[in-house]
């Protein structure tokens, strides 16, 4: 299967996850069911928020866009991954590979900003409740969501423009589950130092600053919760934040393990497992966490069912 040469290549062979046929069939079944649950769960969140008047609040407006980001990420990667499992690899054009990388960047960047926006919303609701309605009006909500997606679009476009300057020649085999930045840079025979520097520079405002902002807001929220005199009051406030805290911890944990842990010290299988956790498990658990841990979602669902 070695197709390495020095001519310019027009397509890659995406290996995905290699193993015995029985293992690949089992993994295909698991991922297929997981993908269906992911799409169903996130569409359920979007549909319920649109249907229920109880959920027409800023927090659930942002949650809808978080679900759309999860749908984009999962749909961008999992169907191709399922094909690689069926055929022990899949041919994908260079343009298609770069396009997949673009949409993975878009969903990642937008989700980072959306999680930041949701933490700011919780901060205003708990730490400045008297001014919450006037500050978090429909105009601010739309602007925050618009900028989250717009920044994701522009930064991803910048990454793609830099990637398009690279030449791909030599080995056309990508031993990964999808077209990510690291395997694309490894497949290039151009000087990739500029692209690598841009990736590190962009990761600071995309990952580090939002993560620090979220930590600061939740420190303020915790301090405010501790000042609430009654246990019932503290429990009520905590319940509105616990779902978001769980999602942020899970998402940034996978993201940090994926992009900040040096890949040179780990096997290819380690990178694949972390990537699976990021693109398959995280989009599935987000709607599950909000559905199971959120009382408003459960109440809204009961009202929709009984009124139907």
């Amino acid at each position: 299967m070695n197709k390495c040469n020095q001519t310019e290549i027009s397509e890659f062979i995406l290996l995905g996850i290699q193993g015995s046929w029985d293992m690949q069939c089992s993994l295909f079944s698991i991922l297929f069911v997981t993908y269906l649950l992911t799409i169903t769960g996130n569409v359920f969140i979007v549909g319920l928020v649109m249907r229920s008047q109880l959920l027409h609040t800023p927090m659930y407006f942002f949650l809808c866009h978080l679900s759309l980001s999860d749908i984009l990420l999962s749909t961008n990667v999992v169907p191709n991954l399922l094909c690689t499992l069926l055929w022990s690899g899949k041919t994908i054009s260079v343009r298609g590979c770069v396009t997949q990388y673009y949409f993975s960047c878009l969903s990642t960047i937008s989700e980072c900003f959306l999680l930041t926006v949701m933490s700011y919303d919780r901060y205003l609701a708990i730490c400045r409740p008297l001014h919450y309605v006037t500050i978090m009006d429909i105009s601010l909500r739309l602007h925050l969501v618009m900028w989250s997606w717009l920044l994701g679009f522009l930064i991803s476009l910048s990454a793609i423009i830099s990637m398009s300057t690279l030449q791909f020649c030599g080995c056309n085999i990508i031993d990964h589950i999808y077209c990510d930045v690291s395997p694309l840079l490894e497949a290039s025979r151009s000087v990739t130092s500029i692209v690598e520097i841009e990736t590190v520079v962009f990761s600071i405002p995309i990952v580090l600053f939002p993560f620090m902002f979220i930590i600061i807001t939740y420190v303020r929220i915790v301090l405010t919760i501790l000042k609430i005199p009654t246990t019932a009051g503290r429990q009520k406030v905590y319940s509105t934040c616990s779902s978001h805290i769980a999602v942020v911890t899970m998402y940034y944990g996978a993201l940090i393990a994926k992009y900040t842990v040096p890949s040179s010290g780990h096997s290819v299988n380690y990178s694949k497992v972390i990537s699976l956790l990021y693109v398959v498990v995280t989009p599935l658990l987000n709607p599950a966490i909000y559905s199971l841990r959120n009382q408003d979602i459960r109440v809204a669902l009961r009202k929709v069912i009984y009124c139907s």
Side-chain angles (χ1 to χ4, degrees), residues 24-224:
Q24 288 184 300
C25 287
S26 299
L27 192 55
F28 175 89
S29 301
I30 294 171
L31 290 179
F32 181 72
V33 172
T34 301
Y35 177 66
L36 290 181
L37 291 174
T38 298
I39 300 301
T40 302
N42 282 289
V43 170
F44 162 77
I45 292 290
V46 174
L48 186 62
V49 171
M50 294 178 63
R51 179 79 181 273
S52 176
Q53 291 290 333
L54 178 65
L55 303 181
H56 287 180
T57 62
M59 186 176 82
Y60 297 106
F61 175 72
F62 299 137
L63 179 58
C64 272
H65 287 270
L66 188 69
S67 291
L68 292 174
S69 177
D70 285 333
I71 291 172
L72 175 61
L73 177 62
S74 186
T75 302
N76 181 49
V77 174
V78 178
N80 274 318
L81 177 57
L82 293 174
C83 291
T84 65
L85 289 170
L86 282 180
W87 296 305
S88 298
K90 181 181 184 296
T91 301
I92 182 171
S93 66
V94 172
R95 180 173 295 180
C97 202
V98 173
T99 300
Q100 188 182 57
Y101 170 60
Y102 169 78
F103 282 108
S104 67
C105 284
L106 173 60
S107 59
T108 297
I109 295 168
S110 299
E111 185 144 349
C112 285
F113 289 135
L114 286 169
L115 288 172
T116 306
V117 167
M118 292 175 75
S119 70
Y120 176 63
D121 173 72
R122 292 299 84 205
Y123 164 77
L124 289 178
I126 295 170
C127 299
R128 302 187 64 186
L130 298 180
H131 304 282
Y132 175 68
V133 176
T134 56
I135 296 176
M136 191 56 72
D137 58 8
I138 185 63
S139 176
L140 181 59
R141 284 180 247 170
L142 292 174
H143 276 88
L144 289 173
V145 165
M146 180 191 70
W147 278 107
S148 295
W149 286 107
L150 183 59
L151 287 173
F153 170 79
L154 294 176
I155 296 174
S156 300
L157 184 61
S158 175
I160 292 303
I161 291 173
S162 298
M163 192 70 69
S164 65
T165 63
L166 302 179
Q167 288 186 332
F168 298 99
C169 56
C171 190
N172 69 336
I173 298 174
I174 293 182
D175 190 7
H176 202 58
I177 65 171
Y178 73 104
C179 297
D180 201 6
V181 58
S182 296
L184 280 173
L185 292 180
E186 290 174 3
S188 174
R189 292 299 179 266
S190 304
V191 177
T192 60
S193 56
I194 295 177
V195 179
E196 291 172 352
I197 292 172
E198 288 182 354
T199 302
V200 173
V201 170
F202 278 130
S203 67
I204 295 174
I206 294 170
V207 179
L208 183 60
F209 287 169
F211 187 56
M212 291 177 61
F213 181 85
I214 292 172
I215 291 176
I216 292 171
T217 55
Y218 271 98
V219 168
R220 296 288 301 274
I221 288 172
V222 169
L223 293 176
T224 301

